Amino acid sequence: MIRFIGIAAGAFFALSVLWAFVTGAYSAATEPAPETAEHAFHKHPKELHLASDGPFGTWNLEQLQRGYQVYKEVCSACHSLKFVAMRDLEQLGYSEAEVKAEAASWTVPGIDPNTGETTTRPGEPTDYFPSPYPNNVAAAAANNNAIPPDLSLMTKARHDGSAYVYSLLTGFQQQPTELLKKFPSAKTPEGLHYNPYFANLNLAMAPPLTMDGQVTYADGTKATIDQMAQDVSAFLTWTAEPTMPKRKQTGWPVLGFLLFATILAYMAKQQIWSNVKPAKNKQDD
């Protein structure tokens, strides 16, 4: 009797799961999902063409230096680069003396050798770029309860990363009236900012690039909002993968070697089996 009850309960459970699956699949196939504001108004990133794009791409060092300047003067107020060492700036074309001077312009956490207490000191080339906040609690308190993400790997962490960063920086705008008419409940909450390139359309970060000339470039390039956004996107592409040109340069010889080895192996196989005749099928008389 107990065995019968167990079998009946198992069969009932299996049939319930099967029924739920069938009805759910039928509903998904016949009833379209309700449209949401995020689905209707979210935009894919704009096109962004950088010197590092493509199989033969390389770095535009002048643009990377401009992007670093934008990061230092604008983005570093909220975002860290905890995986990038200051000595890596030599890869951007800075001399050793310039890297030391640049590192010294940053303030990093340190320890007083006399008292052992935490303090601050000028940065050194071996230091990593510091966080603007002592901890996540302080970061959230200063940014409408949102913790600014580290930007070291941002262009690797997002689809179309370089274009995503560029689009996000240039995409802040007022909510379209069409959105508010169609989705009245989707009004941007107080303290957030509308940006159609962000997944849920609203983010805590205020527009960081607010006017042309916000940064004065040393090479005389006109610092429009669009130019600054492109430059810092290129810089963050470098921070995410500084060895990318070497990877591409190494990839072509490797592909060439593999192609040569494949051809050589095929020719060797043809040579080895050239004197072997295929066996003939014997047929009964």
Side-chain angles (χ1 to χ4, degrees), residues 6-25:
I7 294 174
F12 175 77
F13 176 77
L15 290 174
S16 299
V17 172
L18 180 62
W19 175 256
F21 173 77
V22 171
T23 55

Side-chain angles (χ1 to χ4, degrees), residues 204-259:
M205 180 177 72
L209 302 176
T210 56
M211 61 180 180
D212 294 345
Q214 190 170 343
V215 170
T216 302
Y217 285 139
D219 62 2
T221 300
K222 187 176 181 181
T224 62
I225 291 179
D226 189 82
Q227 183 66 56
M228 290 186 288
Q230 290 187 43
D231 293 342
V232 77
S233 298
F235 172 71
L236 294 179
T237 303
W238 170 79
T239 64
E241 192 177 3
T243 59
M244 181 174 60
K246 290 184 179 180
R247 172 174 60 80
K248 293 180 179 180
Q249 293 169 7
T250 303
W252 286 109
V254 170
L255 290 176
F257 171 78
L258 292 176
L259 178 61

